[in-house]
Structure formats: structure tokens, C-alpha cells
Amino acid sequence: MTNCLIVGVGGQGTILAARLVGMAAMEAGLSVRGSETIGMAQRGGSVASHVRMGGEIFSPLIPPGEAGVVVAFEPGEAVRAAEYLSPRGIAVVCDRPIQPAAANSASAGAYSAASCMDWLRASAPVLYEADGEKIIARISARCLNVALLGIAIGAGAFPFETKHMEAAIARRVSERYVKMNIDALRRGMALDF
Amino acid sequence: MDRQLLMGNEAIALGAIRAGIRLATGYPGTPSSEVLETIARERSDGLYVEWSVNEKTAVEVAAGAAMSGARVLTAMKQVGLNVASDPVMSLNYVGVKGGMVIVVADDPGPISSQTEQDTRHFARFAKIAVFDPSSPEEAYLMIEDAFNYSEMIARPVIFRPTTRVCHSYASVNLAESRSSHSQNGGLGFTKDGGKWVIFPKLAYENHVKLEETMAKLGQVFSDYPGNILLDGGKKGIAASGVSWLYAREAVANPGAGFECKQLKVATIPLPESLCLEFLSGLDEVLVIEELDPVIERELIYLCGRYGLKTVIKGKLSKHIPNAGENSPSGVKDAILRFLTPDSPQIIDKASSHEPRRPLPPLPARPPVLCAGCPHRASFFAVKEAVKTQKAVFSGDIGCYTLGNAMPLDMVDTCLCMGAGIAQAQGIHRVEPDTLNFAFIGDSTFFHTGLPGVANAVYNKADIIIAVLDNSTTAMTGGQPNPGMGKTLMGGDAPKLSIYNILAALGVDQLQRVDAFDFEAAKAAAQKAAGASGVRAIIFEGLCVALGKTKSPLKVDAASCTGCGACVRRLGCPALSIRGKGAAIDPVLCAGCGLCKYLCRFDAIGS
């Protein structure tokens, strides 16, 4: 079984990313089970999508320490999710922070994304850092999710092949955005930003 | 066979369509909303589906159709059942002809709800059978069973998924579509000699039958395939819903080396003889369920009734947490402690816990109003207008409840759907020198807001009703409501005017203003604050999630003094201080212009 945890901040596109991973696994003939965060947290809260692929799967939630791959759209959320990583797990982390509005308006001030990235460099068994500003500038904020999935595919984190993910994108994403997403996927795989 | 990746709510919807429903109703509420949305998307001709104005209405529309012989589904979240409780209680006495399944989604956690109430209690109180699925696959098949049982007993049944069933997904084998079920005596309303008119005499007679039915279900459910007994050992684990999957993952794991009897309970009434077979020969049982200890109490009751010495553990004995949702690791730990209390694994876990690198400070992320949300503008206008006055702001259920967060701090109460307008009246009766605002969204206004307005006018209250009309039901994902001129089925519909409704209810001090016309909005709030009696302001502004956003604004670094007023006073997620000045996140900013309006140094522009 391969467990994939996708985390981020509500509104970043984690739900679609998880759907794509699940659909790609099904394209590859695997059984899939997973769970979403839907509701209030989608308004800027911490969100997590669990995807479990292959074999006999009972729980829709991944137990801590059992995620072979964590795809994090935000550095603070990556640190929050780190307890889920398995001892040889792969972390794909977008380094672009999203500061909570509360931190912006309170005297507490912003949290340090740099210290989160430092912590991940010291703690994650395998870490892929994605330059969020570059991805947004050179591809699109809308495709950040698929670009990150591309990095994870390139890292060999998933039990399916690129063609399965491309098929999932073609089925799920609305037609006029398919090309843009497949381009983002390939650039993610090639770490070409 | 078609195999699809389905969310639990989608599986429920497709299963219900397959079971031959003719009508579906409901009111949006997390985690139930996707059931009706999927039915609307996947329906074929001859299936009618609607968002009703509230859950009570949804049940009543469905009841009428079920009395007329159709298979019907109605869907809501657990607190929606509170609103619908009046028709549900009586309907179970009156009965139905076509199968009627009330889908009520419970929300352990709670993740998006006001309460952690357990619908199984409500069902027992109302003497209604419950089906409790553990996964999307099971839900897909079980919903048809629910219809069959409903028709067999000629009463509604409750189908109760929880959030981790509704919002989990799985690869589901879709069965062949079946020929439509045989209608119970055909479609059409038959007058049937007063059968549908509840009077005390009929209520008594039907109560007798109801008790017989529930007792009989307790027997036949022992053969229901959703209730499962697995043999082994002197200890037993009983579980329901997603907790059954957590338990199976812990116990079925090869190498776990556990031997125990396992009981999956998927129905209320509990399958009595299956439960007795489970209890037979057991020293101890651990019951793993979410919300309230319903199965646990039932098993304790059975032990008492049949003189069994089995010790039942669970929430009542504090072996399972009595609030919040279960987790795979929490359930695994509880099972480990129960089955192997002296296990080295437990000791290992306690002592050899790897000293983890201390975590860097992480941001708290309470949910917030989106950048560009019209509610922020409306709250800000009222706040500015009455900042020197003593005021209490009653709130309600919806995205705008998030207006309670700092720095807006504009929601002082939130109780249940539609409560704010009436609560404001009560607060004012006790504290008459206070300005009392009641904020309510458009969908909530139609849902249960109207009686509060009528009460205010009739009883000569002194309040300001602020309707935040963003032309959608935003928090649950943008469902249509009666003010929008469209329905769930698509196509045009009459657009109910909130303005005309308020006027018709006798509110004569009535203003309507564009929430993004900041000066006008503030002036409207000031005018209302200066008057007395029942006043209303309708703040109109499209929900930013509907997609019509403007270009992001920019900060002119040369003009920005870094005073931080925009960041400090609005709580907009797109605004922050970077270095010496304010910064706007171009990905989040929707160009609403509220920060530009507020900036005294003209430092924000397009």
C-alpha cells in the first residue's frame, strides 16, 4: 500500500490534487481509499487529503508515521504534517508561505517559513523543495497543485506512471485547462521552473 | 462492471438513484450537501430534486411524495434534523407508502457543526430504524436496503453516515442499473379512510404497532449482512461506522497477533440475537463508536437483561474518548491496551518515544472570510458607523459567523439557523440602551429568519436587521436559494425579493445598499443606528467564490507609511506587512477595494 498525504491551506487546490492522485491510481488498476477536509476549514484553515492506494485498505485516514509521501503546498503545513511521514518517506514542499490573517493583524506577527524549511531539511528523510514564487510566476498559481504532483511523480513517490496521471487530468480537469496542467505536471517532473 | 472513484456522498446518491427514487429534497449542510448535488447531476428524467427552504419543509415535501407511493430521499446534516424534528416524529406514527430514507449526516469532531449530537439517539427517541454505513462502498449498497426496509415496515428510516464516510472516497464497483422497483401499490395518493390524518386515537393504535415493528426489526436485523460477527478469543471488539474500519486495520494487520471476536453493528435497533451470540463466552468487550455510547449502553443492557457477566468497556468506562472524532492511531492504541495490557509494544511506545526535534512556531489557522468577501465590507461599514456607541451584534449560521474573528469582532452570538434576529430582541428587552444588530445571510433568512422578523414587528422590538445578501449559500459550497432565481434542477425560477418580504412583514424602515459602496453602506448603518423600532438594511454584494473578481490591487511602496491600518483593521488574508510596508498577495486579492478605501495615504491602487 502507498499512502499519500496532501496538505495545505484551504483554497489552494489540495482537494483536486488528491482526486487526481486517486484517479491515477485507479487508472493503474489499484484500489483507492481516502478522505477530505471539506467545510469551514476551506476558508483559509489547515486542510489535509489522505490517499491510500493498493492492496486491502481499511481506514480512509493514514495513521501517523505511515505516509510514503507528503505533498505540502505550504511550509508551515508541511511541518504540521511531518509526523505522518514514514521513516523513508518523501516530502515535496512548496516553500511559499501563506500567513494567516490573524498573524497579520495581531501583534504576534508572521511565522517564519524559513525556520520551517530549515526544520524540514533537518527532519524529513527525503525532501524536495519547490520554489513557489517561481512556479506561480512561470506556470500559474492555478497549476501549483499539479506542478507539485509532478515533482512527486519525478521522485518516484507514487505507485503509478505519468501516463496514468495524464489520463486522470484529461478526465477530471475542464478541457481548456488540460494542456496547461499537463505542462505543469511535466515541468514538475523535470524540476523545470 | 463500472468502477469509479466516489466520495461517500456521491455513493449514497448513486445508490439512491439505482434504488429508484422519484424525488429528493434537502437543505445544504456540511457534511451532507453533496448527496443532493450528485442526485441533481446524475438524475435521469422523472426524478425530481430540490433544495427546499429548510429541513422541515424538505421532510414534508418528501413525506407527501412517499405517502403518494414514490420512493423518496431527503438529506440534511444532524442539526438540520432538529429543524425537521416535528414532521419526522409524527410521520413515523403516520407512516409512508413508498420507501422514505432520511439521510442525516453526523459530524464527529465536530468539523463543521455547532454540536456533536448523535442522530442514533434521535432515532431511538422517535422509534425510527437507522442504517449506519462504514464506507462509500457499503453506503452505495446499503441505501437500497434502507429503502427496502422502509417499504417493508411502511415507515421512514434514517440513513446515518458520519463525516468520514460522507467525505471519504473509495474505488466503488457500480452495480448494473436495476429495473425500477415495484411500487407499493402504484403511484398516486389514495385517501385511504383517514390513514394519513394523525389523531390521538390513531396515534395510540400506531404506537402499539410501532413498538411491535421495532422489536421485530431487532430480530430480523441479526440476518442483515451489514451486521457482521467474526469469531475468536475471550475478548471482543464491537464497532460501528468508520471506527469499524479503524478497528479492522488494527486487528487485521498481519503480525499484529491479535485474537478477538469482532462485531460490526450497522443498524438500530441492534441485532439482538447476533449481539447475544457475540457476547456469549466473552470476558470483556471494548466498544468503539463515535459520538455517544449507544451500542455500549445497549450491550450493557443486554448483559443485564440476560444475566451475562461480560464486562463492557468503552466511552462510559473512559477507555474511548467521549467527545471528538476517533482516529486510526487512537483506536489502535485503545485496542492494544484492551487486548494486551502488558504488551511490550505499549511500554516501548511510552519509553522509547523518539525525542523529536522541537517544532518551529507554527501559525494557527482559524477559518477566515475570504479576501474580497462582501461580508467583510458590510461588517466594516457597521463597525465604523457605530464605533462610539454601545452595540451588540447577534450573528447567525453561515460564512459570516467568521466575522467574529479579530480584528472585525462583529459577531457576538451564534446559536442556530435563524436565531440571531430573535436573540437580538431578547438582548434588547434586558438592555434597552444598547443598539442591537442582527446579521443574517440570504439563505438563512429564507430558512428560518422570517418568523423572527414577524415577531419583531408584532412585538414592537427595537432592532436593526442586517441581511448580508451575497446571492448564494456560500459556506456549504454555493447552492442556489430562493433569492437567486434558479433552482437545483437548473432553469429559471421566481426570484423572491428579500426587500419585498421585509416590507410585507411590516418593516417600514428599510434600506438596500451595495456592500462595496463603502460610504453608502456606512451611511445606511448610521441612519439605522439613529432611528428606533424595527429597521432593516440589506447589504448586497456577490460572494467572491462565485468567481467574478477584479484585478488584484497593489501597494505603492513610496506612499505606504507602514502604518499597518489596512492589515490591523480588516483581517483580510491578502494583506500583510512585509518589511516596512503593507503588501498584497496577488494570488488571493480579489480587488474589492476596501483597503484602498481605508488607506489614508492613497498608497493602494490598481
Side-chain angles (χ1 to χ4, degrees):
Chain A
M1 191 197 308
T2 304
N3 293 321
C4 167
L5 184 69
I6 300 179
V7 299
V9 175
Q12 279 194 295
T14 51
I15 290 177
L16 175 62
R19 262 294 163 114
L20 290 173
V21 170
M23 288 173 71
M26 279 188 68
E27 293 282 343
L30 301 170
S31 56
V32 177
R33 191 178 291 288
S35 184
E36 291 297 354
T37 310
I38 294 173
M40 252 182 150
Q42 285 178 282
R43 306 271 175 272
S46 299
V47 292
S49 296
H50 298 238
V51 192
R52 317 187 76 188
M53 298 161 273
E56 187 176 23
I57 315 164
F58 291 104
S59 158
L61 295 175
I62 302 166
E66 295 188 20
V69 54
V70 170
V71 180
F73 288 41
E74 206 276 344
E77 297 312 306
V79 173
R80 225 190 288 278
E83 62 164 330
Y84 282 90
L85 268 177
S86 70
R88 285 186 296 177
I90 297 169
V92 175
V93 180
C94 173
D95 67 0
R96 184 177 188 269
I98 294 182
Q99 297 291 349
N104 291 336
S105 55
S107 54
Y111 87 97
S112 164
S115 63
C116 286
M117 292 309 294
D118 284 343
W119 187 90
L120 289 164
R121 284 177 199 120
S123 313
V126 183
L127 176 66
Y128 285 78
E129 298 180 32
D131 187 328
E133 290 299 344
K134 271 192 187 168
I135 294 176
I136 288 171
R138 297 188 188 169
I139 302 178
S140 158
R142 295 184 67 131
C143 292
L144 174 68
N145 51 4
V146 172
L148 295 174
L149 293 182
I151 297 175
I153 290 178
F158 293 130
F160 50 76
E161 297 168 33
T162 314
K163 65 177 181 188
H164 298 126
M165 177 54 79
E166 290 181 348
I169 289 171
R171 279 180 58 176
R172 180 76 191 186
V173 175
S174 83
E175 204 176 330
R176 60 199 166 121
Y177 296 120
V178 168
K179 195 180 164 296
M180 190 181 179
N181 276 281
I182 288 183
D183 180 54
L185 183 77
R186 291 189 182 153
R187 291 178 71 170
M189 289 176 63
L191 300 175
D192 166 27
F193 303 118
Chain B
M1 191 183 286
D2 192 18
R3 203 167 147 77
Q4 280 187 27
L5 187 62
L6 293 183
M7 186 189 275
N9 283 341
E10 294 173 322
I12 292 167
L14 293 182
I17 291 173
R18 181 171 172 270
I21 53 167
R22 293 286 301 262
L23 176 141
T25 63
Y27 186 81
T30 311
S32 70
S33 311
E34 298 85 2
V35 174
L36 233 59
E37 290 178 325
T38 306
I39 291 174
R41 195 174 66 231
E42 303 289 339
R43 77 195 150 86
S44 52
D45 289 346
L47 201 175
Y48 172 82
V49 52
E50 71 170 35
W51 284 126
S52 309
V53 294
N54 63 33
E55 295 86 353
K56 171 173 150 67
T57 311
V59 166
E60 290 156 350
V61 172
M67 287 172 178
S68 306
R71 280 196 166 185
V72 302
L73 175 144
T74 182
M76 62 201 69
K77 68 183 296 179
Q78 86 285 40
V79 287
L81 183 60
N82 300 341
V83 177
S85 61
D86 202 2
V88 170
M89 291 294 295
S90 303
L91 181 64
N92 199 39
Y93 273 68
V94 174
V96 293
K97 193 162 86 173
M100 175 162 170
V101 177
I102 307 168
V103 176
V104 185
D106 278 353
D107 186 21
I111 296 173
S112 287
S113 300
Q114 307 93 293
T115 68
E116 276 201 295
Q117 64 190 68
D118 191 321
T119 292
R120 297 175 300 171
H121 279 312
F122 185 97
R124 285 165 51 87
F125 168 52
K127 304 178 197 302
I128 297 178
V130 178
F131 291 81
D132 191 356
S134 62
S135 69
E137 304 95 299
E138 186 175 32
Y140 175 70
L141 298 172
M142 188 183 269
I143 190 91
E144 181 167 7
D145 301 333
F147 281 104
N148 291 338
Y149 275 99
S150 169
E151 275 167 13
M152 186 182 94
I153 62 176
R155 301 187 186 286
V157 303
I158 287 177
F159 190 84
R160 192 225 36 166
T162 58
T163 307
R164 295 291 176 198
V165 174
C166 294
H167 288 165
S168 71
Y169 52 91
S171 34
V172 179
N173 292 323
L174 298 185
E176 296 292 314
S177 64
R178 59 199 294 287
S179 56
S180 65
H181 75 104
S182 58
Q183 311 284 357
N184 261 6
L187 284 178
F189 183 81
T190 313
K191 297 200 176 185
D192 229 349
K195 173 177 162 49
W196 308 115
V197 184
I198 193 75
F199 268 112
K201 180 171 177 292
L202 182 63
Y204 167 78
E205 290 166 7
N206 285 355
H207 185 187
V208 172
K209 290 183 197 160
L210 202 45
E211 297 296 345
E212 287 167 4
T213 302
M214 290 302 271
K216 186 176 151 218
L217 283 179
Q219 292 309 317
V220 301
F221 278 158
S222 287
D223 295 322
Y224 180 63
N227 293 322
I228 296 169
L229 178 59
L230 303 175
D231 235 337
K234 301 289 283 177
K235 291 187 176 187
I237 291 170
S240 70
V242 75
S243 296
W244 166 254
L245 298 179
Y246 299 156
R248 287 291 295 154
E249 177 145 326
V251 176
N253 180 13
F258 295 144
E259 199 192 20
C260 63
K261 245 178 168 177
Q262 294 157 61
L263 175 70
K264 171 176 178 287
V265 180
T267 59
I268 303 273
L270 261 64
E272 187 169 309
S273 49
L274 193 71
C275 289
L276 289 171
E277 195 184 331
F278 167 70
L279 291 170
S280 161
L282 289 183
D283 298 331
E284 281 186 312
V285 166
L286 178 66
V287 185
I288 306 169
E289 58 193 317
E290 287 181 315
L291 303 172
D292 290 334
V294 173
I295 297 169
E296 186 181 347
R297 283 185 190 276
E298 280 292 318
L299 293 182
I300 291 170
Y301 161 80
L302 283 178
C303 287
R305 181 163 174 197
Y306 291 95
L308 306 175
K309 299 281 179 232
T310 314
V311 177
I312 310 292
K313 294 178 170 177
K315 287 171 179 277
L316 296 171
S317 61
K318 303 213 175 354
H319 289 87
I320 298 288
N322 59 12
E325 70 167 332
N326 288 338
S327 69
S329 51
V331 166
K332 188 177 173 184
D333 281 355
I335 289 177
L336 209 60
R337 284 170 205 281
F338 171 68
L339 292 179
T340 55
D342 307 318
S343 156
Q345 279 176 276
I346 294 174
I347 298 156
D348 276 2
K349 203 175 154 62
S351 60
S352 78
H353 205 62
E354 267 183 54
R356 285 191 66 190
R357 188 179 293 272
L359 292 178
L362 292 176
R365 295 199 190 275
V368 290
L369 295 172
C370 301
C373 175
H375 301 332
R376 178 178 290 103
S378 306
F379 283 133
F380 187 71
V382 174
K383 184 167 185 156
E384 287 293 295
V386 304
K387 62 185 169 189
T388 58
Q389 298 173 69
K390 191 174 157 197
V392 174
F393 307 106
S394 295
D396 221 299
I397 308 276
C399 281
Y400 50 98
T401 317
L402 302 177
N404 78 318
M406 297 303 281
L408 289 174
D409 190 20
M410 285 296 285
V411 173
D412 297 322
T413 71
C414 172
L415 186 63
C416 66
M417 289 289 285
I421 293 174
Q423 270 182 299
Q425 297 165 41
I427 294 168
H428 194 82
R429 298 284 174 207
V430 177
E431 210 173 338
D433 64 341
T434 308
L435 271 178
N436 282 94
F437 279 83
F439 292 101
I440 186 165
D442 46 333
S443 194
T444 307
F445 178 80
F446 291 114
H447 179 280
T448 32
L450 273 58
V453 179
N455 193 69
V457 174
Y458 169 55
N459 289 304
K460 294 195 266 184
D462 185 3
I463 60 166
I464 301 163
I465 300 162
V467 183
L468 304 177
D469 182 2
N470 63 353
S471 288
T472 193
T473 314
M475 180 58 98
T476 47
Q479 292 79 9
N481 70 50
M484 289 166 61
K486 60 181 175 184
T487 67
L488 181 56
M489 302 260 282
D492 292 343
K495 193 170 176 173
L496 277 67
S497 157
I498 295 172
Y499 188 94
N500 290 347
I501 290 169
L502 286 168
L505 285 171
V507 180
D508 50 13
Q509 301 179 70
L510 196 46
Q511 302 177 77
R512 172 159 49 188
V513 66
D514 177 355
F516 292 115
D517 185 343
F518 310 119
E519 273 303 324
K522 184 173 149 187
Q526 278 167 334
K527 183 179 170 194
S532 62
V534 181
R535 302 87 95 190
I537 309 168
I538 305 166
F539 292 94
E540 295 175 334
L542 272 190
C543 173
V544 68
L546 296 178
K548 292 178 183 162
T549 58
K550 298 179 193 159
S551 303
L553 300 179
K554 293 188 191 106
V555 176
D556 172 21
S559 314
C560 179
T561 64
C563 73
C566 54
V567 171
R568 225 175 33 247
R569 292 172 66 193
L570 297 180
C572 173
L575 283 167
S576 59
I577 294 288
R578 292 281 173 278
K580 290 205 170 92
I584 294 174
D585 185 328
V587 176
L588 294 175
C589 179
C592 77
L594 186 58
C595 56
K596 180 172 186 280
Y597 164 74
L598 173 144
C599 180
R600 288 192 295 137
F601 304 100
D602 270 340
I604 297 174
S606 41

